[in-house]
Amino acid sequence: NIAGIFLEKCSKLISFDKLGITRLYVDEAHYYKNVPITTGLVNTLGISSVGSVKCLGMVDKVNYMTSQSDCGVIMATGTPITNSITDCYVFQRYLQGGELKLLNIHSFDNWVAM
């Protein structure tokens, strides 16, 4: 993903919030689902407590964009969610993190219990 590589190199020179981006379009969004998930559930497939640097960076960027009143995020993928229930949680956390907080759902365990 050339745009992703360019953005990563630029982010080392200029902070993301100074770029003036108002909309973040993420194609192949399934490449950003390896975010850390803390849970008390045992033997649940697809849960990573560490995640990846790339995905943690995307979480930060999405959180910044959704915290701005005039910004937004669009994620697209042709890959169906079939590997794990955690995939649904991760994408809802990306795109509806504010709504989850309003519902007092702050963890994967709360989300599963809902």
Side-chain angles (χ1 to χ4, degrees), residues 91-105:
F91 285 112
Q92 187 169 20
R93 198 169 110 188
Y94 270 131
L95 299 172
Q96 293 182 315
E99 287 81 358
L100 290 174
K101 286 179 185 174
L102 287 173
L103 295 170
N104 206 24
I105 299 172

Side-chain angles (χ1 to χ4, degrees), residues 57-74:
M58 182 61 74
V59 168
D60 290 341
K61 290 171 180 72
V62 168
N63 288 342
Y64 171 77
M65 295 297 285
T66 56
S67 72
Q68 304 301 304
S69 61
D70 59 343
C71 296
V73 178
I74 297 169

